Amino acid sequence: MPTERTFAMIKPDGVRRGLTAEILRRIELKGYRTVGLKLYQIPRETAESHYGEHSAKPFFGELVDFITSGPVVAIALEGENAIAGWRSMMGATNPANAAPGTIRGDFATSVGENVTHGSDSPESAQRELALFFAEGELLK
Ligand code: DAT
Ligand code: MG
């Protein structure tokens, strides 16, 4: 399996609800290396670019409002199969379908506020890491 880097994020609801330590704990226990980490208030333009694939969806405005509603924790993860692996730790987008034991399954009840983000492909991982981190902010 390939060693990959992926972009993970604790969304504003996760930070507000005090879930940061629990989520970082799960990442550490899983064994992914954290190669970038910061508390970050996302500028609106960055949020619109990050969620660009959803710009035509009816929930786009709400999504951007929500993701900019408070600080997030931006995380760069590295490990074998980290892209799919982190998405599997998060669980399904809609918490109603997320299995117990996953982050969304354990902590979220609403599709709009589902606690974490994870890149869905190598291309989006590369794009999102570059959007959220300057080169010098990531460990070599
Ligand atoms: P994911 O975050 O699992 O990659 P996605 O890329 O399809 O899911 O959607 C991005 C975010 O947009 C998702 O985490 C929550 C929000 N969202 C998706 N579908 C939605 C819907 N039907 N109503 C409201 N928000 C939605
Ligand atoms: Mg997505």
Side-chain angles (χ1 to χ4, degrees):
M1 277 193 290
T3 296
E4 296 174 329
R5 284 189 172 194
T6 193
F7 177 62
M9 173 164 68
I10 304 173
K11 296 184 180 183
D13 57 329
V15 174
R16 273 194 288 270
R17 291 173 56 199
L19 296 171
T20 298
E22 168 64 20
I23 292 165
L24 293 175
R25 186 186 76 91
R26 290 183 180 211
I27 289 169
E28 288 195 308
L29 290 176
K30 173 71 176 175
Y32 294 133
R33 287 177 291 284
T34 298
V35 294
L37 180 67
K38 66 182 176 187
L39 198 60
Y40 186 51
Q41 174 66 52
I42 307 179
R44 197 163 181 93
E45 281 169 30
T46 305
E48 286 170 351
S49 167
H50 172 65
Y51 281 128
E53 66 177 298
H54 299 301
S55 61
K57 309 257 173 76
F59 57 82
F60 183 67
E62 264 177 60
L63 179 58
V64 172
D65 287 348
F66 165 62
I67 209 70
T68 58
S69 68
V72 303
V73 179
I75 311 163
L77 293 183
E78 184 179 85
E80 271 189 39
N81 204 33
I83 297 170
W86 169 241
R87 284 195 63 95
S88 145
M89 287 176 68
M90 293 200 302
T93 303
N94 186 340
N97 303 323
T102 65
I103 292 166
R104 288 162 168 173
D106 288 349
F107 302 122
T109 56
S110 132
V111 67
E113 304 202 359
N114 57 10
V115 184
T116 48
H117 168 81
S119 308
D120 62 8
S121 67
E123 295 70 33
S124 45
Q126 198 173 27
R127 186 180 76 82
E128 293 170 2
L129 286 169
L131 187 61
F132 282 88
F133 290 100
E135 222 169 286
E137 291 179 317
L138 297 181
L139 299 181
K140 299 283 183 228

